[in-house]
Amino acid sequence: MNIQDKTIAQLRKMPDALVQEVSDFIDFLIMKHGGNNWELWLHFSESLDIGESDFSDYLSNLEDYEERLASGEIKW
């Protein structure tokens, strides 16, 4: 059994969530070894972090700002 067959056999034993992580890592390795695509990967990765972040603090701050704006406490 070669390394590819062994790896595929291991993937088949894993739950889908872990297979997704492996797939993401494979994408990372392809980008990393693809030359200048490494910089694109870093930008994409940062964008994912922002997109998946918790916006609860942002929303509460926005609501506070809107209330202060509506009450005339601050001007736009």
Side-chain angles (χ1 to χ4, degrees):
M1 181 180 284
N2 66 29
I3 189 68
Q4 291 169 337
D5 293 334
K6 183 179 176 185
T7 303
I8 291 168
Q10 290 173 318
L11 282 170
R12 289 189 173 130
K13 295 177 186 176
M14 299 172 82
D16 287 342
L18 291 179
V19 173
Q20 182 60 54
E21 285 188 45
V22 172
S23 178
D24 292 344
F25 185 65
I26 290 169
D27 290 342
F28 163 77
L29 290 175
I30 290 169
M31 290 294 246
K32 179 180 176 184
H33 295 284
N36 64 356
N37 289 334
W38 172 246
E39 294 168 1
L40 294 173
W41 173 261
L42 288 176
H43 180 70
F44 176 72
S45 177
E46 290 172 1
S47 297
L48 280 178
D49 289 342
I50 292 169
E52 294 173 352
S53 66
D54 180 12
F55 282 100
S56 61
D57 288 339
Y58 171 78
L59 291 176
S60 65
N61 289 338
L62 180 60
E63 290 170 352
D64 180 53
Y65 175 79
E66 288 175 342
E67 289 172 7
R68 293 174 64 201
L69 188 61
S71 70
E73 183 180 337
I74 56 175
K75 301 275 186 220
W76 188 22

